[in-house]
């Protein structure tokens, strides 16, 4: 796509935004309904695209994308009137005879750049927030999952006028051209390095950004009576989408005396979930492309203590794999794995585990398996991560009342549910003062008015 076309699209969206057609609650709800209907009518198209891109099962496609998108739309439709209502706040006595409230203003024309691993959710869930807040949007799905990118473009075309929402497909070249333009908000999902490119491009126009990034999310197994359940929850969260999940447990930190039992249970669970040859399982995904497969293969090359580790390059397959006896120096611990490889590191005392986690970049998620309330509290207070999920993996992101996002290197900002609406709304402070009474106490000459000011400037608020 030529830059001139991109400029024209942005121009037409700006003009559409100025008409005010995106502003009424009714029109936003209508747009959300239109998206929902298109998704329902295209369930097969979506599942087929995900099968072609990942060999993803229909169940997983529904659970991780179609179902959660529909749920987000329904929640937005049902809650929009209350989210969008101006919020009255109290006014201090010193400003008496005034009213104060916060108005949610849409930003205008926003850019949403999605990542490839959950292509529909990562493009469309932010879009739900953008529409709900009354914006126009350009969506750039990831080129890395090409079938899904095409399907997203088709869904958007069927749901909206292009002046309102348009999908633009393309690779780095198109992404770079888009980022050279002025938007009113940029919402990006992807890796840390590209996130920095986006932040730099946004800085040129001081465009506000949300960066949904990645990192290494640790899974701490400290003390628990039920290793079978722990293993099920870890294996599910790690190997769903063949580990290509931003919040997948990246590695396990386990108390030394629990390691043997954990590994045995993990192996049993892998077999129970995917059979003795996961390649034959209909429920086990493939790696997105050769480049990513070779990157993951590189992490396994020369490794000792590998359990699994079967690779079929032609079919983009890597079996669920555990690296036992891993150390912090291991190459698998130097980058986000983003694939079906699970290193295991032991510790003697929980202090050690906390210290090691805190030495590293802040992760998108921390998982903790424990029966100990005090430890829950300690990890909650002494570690920093996008989210914390206790005795489960991934599931904290399925509650739309919990904002989802990173901190530090794992991202800036958050979304899901109301957080999406808030992300795409500028909180405009509005104060209205009555013309009467007009007291001169705050105007010069100040003379001895300071004592009066001090008297009324307390903690008294007019409600
Ligand atoms: P990707 O390659 O699909 O890139 C994401 C987007 O950036 C795409 O739209 C792509 O076209 C664009 N892009 C790629 N290179 C670019 C460049 N040089 N300049 C400008 N734009 C460019 O995704 P990825 O980066 O491989 O995604 C994987 C990463 O994303 C992982 O680190 C993962 O943890 C993270 N992720 C985070 C979340 C989250 O919600 N926090 C979700 C999914 C993935």
């Amino acid at each position: 796509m030529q830059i001139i076309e991109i400029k024209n699209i942005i121009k037409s969206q700006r003009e559409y935004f100025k008409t005010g057609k995106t502003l009424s609650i009714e029109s936003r709800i209508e747009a959300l309904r239109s998206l929902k209907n298109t998704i329902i009518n295209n369930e097969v198209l979506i599942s087929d695209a995900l099968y072609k891109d990942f060999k993803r099962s229909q169940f997983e496609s529904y659970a991780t994308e179609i179902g959660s998108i529909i749920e987000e739309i329904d929640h937005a439709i049902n809650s929009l009137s209350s989210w969008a209502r101006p919020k009255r706040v109290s006014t201090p006595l010193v400003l008496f005879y005034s009213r104060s409230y916060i108005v949610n203003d849409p930003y205008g024309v926003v850019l949403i750049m999605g990542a490839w691993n959950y292509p529909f959710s990562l493009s469309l869930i932010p879009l739900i927030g953008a529409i709900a807040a009354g914006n126009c949007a350009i969506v750039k799905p990831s080129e890395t999952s090409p079938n899904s990118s095409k399907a997203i473009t088709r869904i958007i075309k069927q749901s909206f006028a292009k002046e309102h929402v348009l999908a633009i497909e393309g690779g780095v070249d198109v992404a770079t051209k888009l980022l050279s333009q002025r938007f009113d908000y940029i919402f990006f999902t992807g890796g840390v390095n590209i996130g920095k490119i986006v932040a730099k491009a946004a800085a040129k126009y001081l465009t506000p950004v949300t960066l949904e990034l990645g990192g290494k999310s640790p899974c701490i197994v400290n003390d628990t009576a039920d290793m079978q359940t722990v293993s099920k929850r870890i294996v599910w969260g790690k190997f769903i989408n063949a580990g290509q999940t931003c919040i997948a447990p990246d590695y396990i930190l386990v108390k030394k005396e629990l390691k043997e039992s954990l590994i045995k249970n993990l192996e049993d669970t892998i077999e129970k979930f995917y059979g003795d040859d996961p390649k034959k399982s209909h429920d086990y995904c493939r790696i997105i492309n050769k480049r990513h497969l070779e990157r993951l293969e590189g992490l396994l090359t020369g490794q000792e203590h590998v359990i699994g580790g079967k690779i079929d390059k032609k079919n983009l397959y890597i079996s669920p794999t555990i690296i036992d006896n891993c150390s912090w120096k291991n190459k698998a611990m130097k980058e986000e794995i983003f694939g079906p490889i699970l290193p295991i590191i032991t510790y003697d005392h929980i202090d050690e585990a906390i210290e090691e986690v805190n030495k590293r970049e802040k992760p998108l998620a921390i998982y903790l398996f424990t029966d100990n309330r005090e430890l829950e509290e300690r990890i909650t207070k002494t570690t920093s991560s996008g989210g914390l999920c206790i005795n489960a993996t991934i599931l904290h992101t399925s509650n739309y009342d919990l904002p989802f996002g990173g901190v530090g290197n794992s991202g800036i900002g958050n979304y899901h549910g109301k957080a999406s609406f808030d992300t795409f709304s500028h909180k405009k402070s509005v104060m209205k003062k009555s013309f009467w009474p007009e007291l001169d106490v705050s105007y010069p000459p100040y003379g001895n008015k300071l004592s009066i000011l001090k008297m009324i400037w307390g903690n008294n608020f007019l409600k």
Side-chain angles (χ1 to χ4, degrees):
M1 180 171 271
Q2 300 300 314
I3 191 89
I4 185 75
E5 289 172 78
I6 290 175
K7 283 187 175 175
N8 284 337
I9 292 162
I10 297 172
K11 189 164 168 256
S12 73
Q13 289 208 345
R14 285 208 184 288
E15 278 160 12
Y16 186 77
F17 182 74
K18 270 195 226 151
T19 64
K21 286 185 183 153
T22 63
L23 296 185
S24 75
I25 301 298
E26 294 72 31
S27 71
R28 300 184 203 183
I29 289 177
E30 199 184 314
L32 290 169
R33 286 217 174 98
S34 168
L35 179 61
K36 179 181 169 179
N37 290 337
T38 314
I39 287 168
I40 290 171
N41 295 335
N42 283 287
E43 209 181 300
V44 176
L45 176 86
I46 297 171
S47 294
D48 282 355
L50 290 167
Y51 187 78
K52 283 181 190 149
D53 285 335
F54 299 91
K55 255 188 188 275
R56 199 182 293 174
S57 69
Q58 244 178 320
F59 182 93
E60 257 184 40
S61 295
Y62 197 89
T64 59
E65 312 234 27
I66 304 167
S68 47
I69 296 168
I70 292 174
E71 199 182 42
E72 283 273 351
I73 295 177
D74 284 341
H75 183 50
I77 289 174
N78 294 333
S79 316
L80 190 51
S81 307
S82 102
W83 291 347
R85 201 172 295 137
K87 184 170 177 268
R88 176 114 187 250
V89 293
S90 54
T91 303
L93 183 61
V94 72
L95 303 172
F96 70 98
Y97 280 96
S98 307
R99 283 170 157 247
S100 307
Y101 43 101
I102 302 164
V103 169
N104 294 290
D105 264 356
Y107 279 99
V109 177
V110 306
L111 172 64
I112 296 169
M113 293 173 71
W116 53 266
N117 54 328
Y118 292 94
F120 292 90
S121 297
L122 299 176
S123 295
L124 299 181
I125 294 182
L127 179 64
I128 294 164
I131 298 165
N135 297 282
C136 292
I138 291 177
V139 178
K140 161 55 191 86
S142 174
E143 69 280 17
T144 307
S145 41
N147 295 291
S148 302
S149 174
K150 264 196 203 75
I152 291 166
T153 305
R154 200 162 135 188
I155 286 167
I156 288 180
K157 198 170 171 189
Q158 280 178 27
S159 309
F160 308 101
K162 63 179 187 300
E163 301 77 20
H164 185 197
V165 182
L166 182 75
I168 298 182
E169 282 192 86
V172 177
D173 171 48
V174 168
T176 308
K177 282 178 186 151
L178 282 165
L179 289 171
S180 71
Q181 298 304 300
R182 184 174 199 150
F183 285 92
D184 301 304
Y185 201 96
I186 298 176
F187 188 104
F188 170 81
T189 305
V192 174
N193 290 335
I194 309 172
K196 288 179 185 170
I197 295 175
V198 172
K200 208 166 168 186
K204 184 174 171 203
Y205 296 110
L206 291 179
T207 304
V209 288
T210 293
L211 301 176
E212 294 284 339
L213 310 177
K216 289 181 86 64
S217 298
C219 177
I220 303 170
V221 181
N222 189 67
D223 42 47
T224 169
D226 187 356
M227 203 53 98
Q228 226 179 353
T229 305
V230 172
S231 298
K232 273 200 276 184
R233 293 177 185 186
I234 293 176
V235 168
W236 175 75
K238 177 65 188 184
F239 297 110
I240 193 170
N241 206 26
Q244 299 162 110
T245 304
C246 56
I247 40 161
D250 188 272
Y251 61 97
I252 292 183
L253 281 172
V254 59
K255 206 172 189 181
K256 207 175 249 164
E257 58 260 38
L258 295 179
K259 187 191 83 171
E260 220 167 285
S261 152
L262 176 68
I263 292 191
K264 172 154 192 342
N265 277 285
L266 290 173
E267 283 184 274
D268 289 350
T269 310
I270 289 170
E271 191 170 339
K272 210 182 268 167
F273 282 8
Y274 304 114
D276 52 9
D277 182 4
K279 202 165 140 186
K280 291 190 187 137
S281 165
H282 295 297
D283 300 324
Y284 188 68
C285 290
R286 296 298 179 264
I287 305 305
I288 187 66
N289 58 30
K290 194 164 159 252
R291 181 169 67 84
H292 278 281
L293 182 126
E294 285 172 353
R295 179 183 62 77
L296 292 162
E297 188 183 35
L299 296 182
L300 288 177
T301 311
Q303 291 277 9
E304 289 172 24
H305 314 294
V306 169
I307 305 167
K310 295 201 171 62
I311 297 179
D312 172 356
K313 248 189 194 180
K314 202 169 138 238
N315 291 302
L316 298 173
Y317 168 79
I318 300 182
S319 67
T321 299
I322 293 168
I323 305 177
D324 188 7
N325 290 334
C326 198
S327 79
W328 292 103
K329 290 194 178 124
N330 193 296
K331 59 183 164 183
M333 295 306 296
K334 301 286 175 215
E335 60 181 82
E336 180 184 358
I337 293 173
F338 217 54
I341 300 171
L342 184 57
I344 300 198
I345 298 180
T346 55
Y347 61 84
D348 290 310
H349 194 276
I350 190 67
D351 291 358
E352 231 179 277
I354 294 173
E355 198 185 317
E356 291 293 348
V357 167
N358 285 344
K359 259 193 223 164
R360 290 167 170 79
E361 296 291 357
K362 295 179 178 182
L364 192 52
I366 292 181
Y367 300 108
L368 169 68
F369 286 90
T370 184
D371 294 329
N372 179 337
R373 275 283 186 89
E374 272 169 39
L375 183 61
E376 276 175 30
E377 221 179 296
R378 181 161 171 215
I379 296 282
T380 309
K381 284 186 182 153
T382 62
T383 63
S384 177
S385 55
L388 168 65
C389 187
I390 299 163
N391 295 336
T393 64
I394 312 276
L395 294 179
H396 62 299
T397 65
S398 311
N399 178 356
Y400 50 58
D401 284 330
L402 289 175
F404 171 62
V407 57
N409 237 47
S410 55
I412 298 172
N414 50 49
Y415 72 129
H416 286 190
K418 183 170 185 295
S420 299
F421 174 84
D422 289 337
T423 285
F424 285 102
S425 305
H426 164 61
K427 305 283 168 195
K428 185 161 77 183
S429 296
V430 178
M431 202 195 82
K432 184 181 173 188
K433 193 157 170 53
S434 103
F435 277 108
W436 183 92
E438 175 68 340
L439 301 181
D440 286 343
V441 69
S442 53
Y443 300 133
Y446 301 121
N448 59 0
K449 291 175 187 168
L450 182 60
S451 55
I452 306 172
L453 183 67
K454 280 185 176 173
M455 200 173 65
I456 51 180
W457 210 341
N459 284 324
N460 285 330
F461 282 75
L462 281 184
K463 300 289 174 192

